[in-house]
Structures are given as structure tokens and as C-alpha cells.
Amino acid sequence: MGLSWLNNLILDLYKRNPKRKRKVTTMESGDIVGTGDYDVETKREKLKSLLSQLLADPILADVPKNPTLSDVVTLVSLEKGSAMRLSIVKLDGSSLDVAVMNSATLKDLKLLIKKKVNEMEQANMGHRHISWKHVWSNFCLSCNNEKLLDDDVVLQDVGVRNNSQIAFVPYVMKKGPGRHSKRKKHRLFRSLHKTC
């Protein structure tokens, strides 16, 4: 089954084109083998227009504007029940929805949040740089009032389920034992220097 409907649509599109020089040939599996003597740009433009028509369908409203293969795989898995939809609540109270596989780790979720927020920022205000190193050193994610700190933990192991709400909460990473921040080191050496 898979994407045979898309394959049939593309075949239909090529069959309707009067500029076609050769027949469209397919294998028994339905895969397109030869499509005539079209130039690559024409094919690409027709495919883009076809995809934009498909993505305008209300049934496919949750598909991103420029979907990647991983986006499509996650959405198909969501329909099959092997992925979960999460609502990420930002500090300003607004939220964004993301879909992750059931086997996703906290690191996977952070990367997806970074991607979604960057896409939203790009669409709304143009390119604006967000220092994600700064974000993750001052904030962490929380689910059911439990801070999620270990990047390697599987989300389902810490109680994250389908339709869970994940919130950003303030958090300051602790330095390792015996380590000082640059500011404290500076003050320490300055006071030592004054006493000498």
C-alpha cells in the first residue's frame, strides 16, 4: 500500500501532459521507471505543485509545509499508534505541538523543539538567532512536575505519554564539584592578589 496513491497521481499527471515524448513505464510494484524526456526542472515544478495541492487538503493539516522524510514517518507512526503527540508549553504560556516516536529520548525531543521553534521564528520574524546552549543551561523540560534532566532517558520511561504536556521550567545547571564559574574565579584571584 504505502504511497501508491501518490505514485498513481504522478503517473496520472505525466499521462495528461501533451508534451510527453515516451510512455511512462512502471514496474509490477508500481514504481516509476522511465518518465520520458522531461527535464528535471519541469518534473520538480509539477511535483511541487502537486504536493502543495495535496498539503492544502484539510485531512493533511498536520503535515508541515516542507516535510522531510522523518516528519512523514513520524506522522504515519502517529496514526499507527507507535508515536505520540506532545504539547510543549513555553514560558509565555503559548504552546506548540510536536510528534515524536514512542522510543524517542529527551535529546530527540530537544532537537525537535529547536527545529520547530526555529521554523516558527523564521516564518514570523525572519532569521533570528536563538542560543540554544543558553536556553538549555537556564531552563529544562518538565512533565508531571518532574524535571527531565538526563538527555539519554527514553521519554516513556519517565511517564511521558501521548497528549502529555511538557513545560519549560527555570533550571540552572550545577557546576561539577570544586569548580567555580569564571566570575567566582576572578573574585577569588583578585582577593588573593590584594592580600599579597
Side-chain angles (χ1 to χ4, degrees):
M1 192 167 135
L3 293 175
S4 62
W5 59 272
L6 181 61
N7 192 14
N8 291 337
L9 245 53
I10 293 171
L11 278 172
D12 218 22
L13 178 72
Y14 285 126
K15 286 179 183 176
R16 283 191 227 152
N17 190 343
K19 296 179 185 175
R20 181 172 101 240
K21 293 183 183 174
R22 274 192 283 156
K23 279 181 125 181
V24 174
T25 57
T26 59
M27 294 173 40
E28 290 177 335
S29 64
D31 295 330
I32 298 174
V33 176
T35 57
D37 293 329
Y38 296 110
D39 68 337
V40 175
E41 286 302 314
T42 306
K43 289 181 200 176
R44 187 174 291 135
E45 291 304 317
K46 288 184 180 191
L47 185 60
K48 279 185 180 179
S49 68
L50 181 64
L51 284 175
S52 65
Q53 290 172 0
L54 285 171
L55 292 175
D57 189 342
I59 294 173
L60 300 174
D62 56 349
V63 178
K65 294 289 182 204
N66 295 318
T68 62
L69 180 61
S70 63
D71 293 336
V72 174
V73 168
T74 302
L75 289 172
V76 169
S77 298
L78 187 63
E79 293 299 320
K80 291 181 177 179
S82 57
M84 52 189 163
R85 185 174 303 281
L86 305 174
S87 179
I88 310 298
V89 181
K90 297 188 282 184
L91 290 172
D92 63 358
S94 64
S95 65
L96 62 118
D97 291 332
V98 295
V100 295
M101 301 298 285
N102 287 343
S103 59
T105 62
L106 181 60
K107 184 176 184 175
D108 297 332
L109 179 59
K110 285 181 175 181
L111 291 173
L112 188 60
I113 291 170
K114 176 181 173 181
K115 179 183 171 195
K116 284 276 194 180
V117 170
N118 286 342
E119 285 174 358
M120 288 171 39
E121 290 294 324
Q122 183 73 24
N124 293 340
M125 294 184 259
H127 184 66
R128 191 172 109 182
H129 178 73
I130 296 174
S131 171
W132 288 98
K133 183 177 180 181
H134 175 76
V135 170
W136 298 125
S137 65
N138 292 297
F139 301 95
C140 69
L141 297 173
S142 168
C143 181
N144 301 326
N145 294 324
E146 181 182 337
K147 290 182 179 179
L148 307 174
L149 302 175
D150 183 11
D151 279 350
D152 297 324
V153 70
V154 176
L155 293 173
Q156 284 196 330
D157 292 348
V158 291
V160 177
R161 300 288 181 256
N162 193 24
N163 298 322
S164 290
Q165 280 196 341
I166 310 288
F168 276 92
V169 293
Y171 172 73
V172 178
M173 293 177 107
K174 294 180 180 160
K175 303 283 184 204
R179 295 179 65 194
H180 297 287
S181 68
K182 287 181 182 177
R183 189 79 186 139
K184 286 183 181 177
K185 277 185 184 178
H186 180 70
R187 276 189 256 141
L188 176 67
F189 289 121
R190 189 180 218 188
S191 63
L192 289 175
H193 185 68
K194 284 182 180 179
T195 58
C196 294

